[in-house]
Amino acid sequence: MKVFFDIDSFAIMNIPSSLLQKYNVPVPRYTSYPTVPFWKESIDEWDWKKIFSLQFALNNARDGISLYLHLPFCESLCTYCGCNKKITGNHGVEKEYMAAIEKEWQLYLQLMNEAPVIRELHLGGGTPTFFSPAHLVQLLENIFAKSKIHPLHEFSFEGHPNNTSKEHLQALYDLGFRRVSYGVQDNDPEVQRIINRIQPIENVQKATDAAREIGYHSVNFDLIYGLPLQTEESLQKTILQCIAMKPDRIAFYSYAHVPWASRGQRLFDENDLPSTELKMKLYQSGKELFAAHEYVDVGMDHFALPTDDLFVAKEQGRLHRNFMGYTTQQTKLLVGLGVSSISDAGVAYAQNEKTIHEYYACLGQNQLPVRRGFFLSHEDIAFKKYILDVSCKSQTFFAKEDLPLLNQYVFGELNKLEEDKLLEWNERGVKVTSLGNHFIRNVCRAFDLHLLRAQKENTVTKFSKAI
């Protein structure tokens, strides 16, 4: 299915504040379906191995696989961060962790009937550039040694502007990396102080210039709205400073205040957080600035210049979404290596142990360190497709065999969304409107049978709010 998007349809739109308030409710980010809170607390390693082996045999030669490496170490704590990380200044931890990832990769290789074809690779964290360039090269070369690289591969990594050196950029470029994502978050000194991420804008400019000089063709900036002490004026200044550097993509994330899950966030005085009304203004003014400077809204939180591959993929109906976010690759199998990493076999998910101690202990016993996960039913697979279509193509078509469930749970939700002009629908399918593209997470929620059933049963599930 090919979908064409007119850039004008994503132009500046004055989103009614009444709708922002109405749809600013706890909603998943839908990097998976079912979403993580509905997964089982433990899964059988043998069952996961069987499913993984089968899906690898079916998909590797045709599409290749995706790899995600979680490198959790950071030298200091950014108090807003909800990621799985390990704070240390001891770089002696690098070798032991590298050996663990290589051991985990060897265990996966034993489940493969042929050499893996790596089509997509992402280094996330934590801070991947905590590791020295030489160690990153050693780690990746050991993974590549028994693999093939797909001719249309896409390799990317997350870099901290303070410590991403030319040596890092050149070493990874030489291994095939062409995309880098810098965690900028906010340039205001007071905001940086309270979130404990002191990062002069000169460092961002230097890291961006270095990437382009070496030959990277896509530079992404991560920005966050809703941080403590942010004002509309300060965030607009940050955005304009970043736009002046012409990043190819911008991820504009809502700060998710989840102190029950992230202890660092308990250090904030919640009175320093923007009010709900101010956070909505930050969101609206940010989107207006992006649109005014030719950045196109391609989906949940993500903006790209019309020249960027992400926008082109959206326009051509090739956009995909997985645990690494939006991607232009269409692989059916994602292997997550490292502590807390998630693997996606299309019909099953598996997440690794969340602490380094438990992760190392499993590998020490020659066991895959999978901790929890989910095996999808036929129903889950069908509704996963609807959610992926909506989040990536802004439309989906219904299968006749799903109509009874759609009628029972979904059509009523679609009626509510249609009343607010967020979509148009009939029994053939759904098309999201230009206005509805600003509320994609809410539209995806209409197809989330696990969440809808839980809400009917008054089962409490905690998610961050949509805005």
Side-chain angles (χ1 to χ4, degrees), residues 293-307:
H293 291 82
E294 300 182 343
Y295 286 88
V296 184
D297 187 344
V298 296
M300 293 181 229
D301 315 315
H302 286 73
F303 300 80
L305 291 173
T307 53

Side-chain angles (χ1 to χ4, degrees), residues 84-96:
N84 184 292
K85 65 271 183 187
K86 179 73 173 177
I87 310 303
T88 180
N90 174 21
H91 285 263
V93 299
E94 294 180 30
K95 286 188 175 181
E96 183 180 14

Side-chain angles (χ1 to χ4, degrees), residues 229-424:
L229 301 185
Q230 264 183 348
T231 66
E232 195 170 3
E233 181 182 4
S234 72
L235 182 60
Q236 287 178 349
K237 183 178 179 181
T238 286
I239 291 173
L240 290 172
Q241 288 172 329
C242 289
I243 286 173
M245 297 182 223
K246 247 349 187 186
D248 303 274
R249 304 177 186 178
I250 296 174
F252 190 49
Y253 294 119
S254 166
Y255 166 64
H257 191 60
V258 287
W260 61 86
S262 181
R263 288 185 295 176
Q265 294 181 357
R266 298 174 194 169
L267 300 174
F268 291 152
D269 182 338
E270 295 196 4
N271 293 319
D272 290 328
L273 294 173
S275 65
T276 300
E277 181 181 1
L278 175 55
K279 192 173 182 184
M280 289 180 184
K281 286 182 179 178
L282 297 175
Y283 169 80
Q284 177 85 319
S285 62
K287 295 192 81 161
E288 289 175 354
L289 281 174
F290 298 141
H293 291 82
E294 300 182 343
Y295 286 88
V296 184
D297 187 344
V298 296
M300 293 181 229
D301 315 315
H302 286 73
F303 300 80
L305 291 173
T307 53
D308 188 78
D309 290 345
L310 204 64
F311 171 75
V312 175
K314 173 82 173 186
E315 186 181 47
Q316 296 177 351
R318 295 186 293 104
L319 198 62
H320 183 55
R321 186 168 174 82
N322 58 27
F323 286 101
M324 297 182 283
Y326 281 109
T327 173
T328 62
Q329 303 296 326
Q330 293 285 337
T331 57
K332 303 292 192 301
L333 184 65
L334 166 64
V335 182
L337 302 177
V339 63
S340 79
S341 284
I342 295 174
S343 296
D344 178 358
V347 296
Y349 302 111
Q351 183 175 26
N352 283 351
E353 294 285 359
K354 289 189 173 182
T355 71
I356 288 181
H357 173 75
E358 292 169 318
Y359 175 70
Y360 286 165
C362 283
L363 292 169
Q365 297 174 19
N366 291 318
Q367 295 177 350
L368 283 178
V370 292
R371 175 176 180 263
R372 63 186 307 206
F374 198 92
F375 300 127
L376 280 68
S377 66
H378 291 298
E379 173 192 298
D380 293 326
I381 292 169
F383 282 76
K384 175 183 179 180
K385 180 183 182 300
Y386 296 139
I387 288 173
L388 273 175
D389 282 350
V390 167
S391 62
C392 296
K393 301 174 182 177
S394 296
Q395 66 179 20
T396 191
F397 296 103
F398 301 145
K400 286 184 180 180
E401 59 267 27
D402 296 331
L403 288 176
L405 273 175
L406 288 162
N407 185 53
Q408 182 179 358
Y409 291 101
V410 177
F411 289 166
E413 300 296 322
L414 297 181
N415 280 332
K416 298 173 190 176
L417 295 166
E418 188 172 46
E419 287 173 6
D420 288 326
K421 298 181 170 52
L422 303 189
L423 53 80
E424 299 171 354

Side-chain angles (χ1 to χ4, degrees), residues 429-441:
V430 168
K431 183 174 182 180
V432 182
T433 64
S434 296
L435 178 61
N437 277 303
H438 297 278
F439 298 92
I440 286 291
R441 287 172 67 184

Side-chain angles (χ1 to χ4, degrees), residues 16 47 88 101 138 160 174 217 229 252-253 335 426 432 453:
D47 287 342
T88 180
I101 283 190
Q138 179 184 333
H160 194 312
D174 292 343
H217 62 68
L229 301 185
F252 190 49
Y253 294 119
V335 182
N426 56 37
V432 182
R453 286 167 175 153

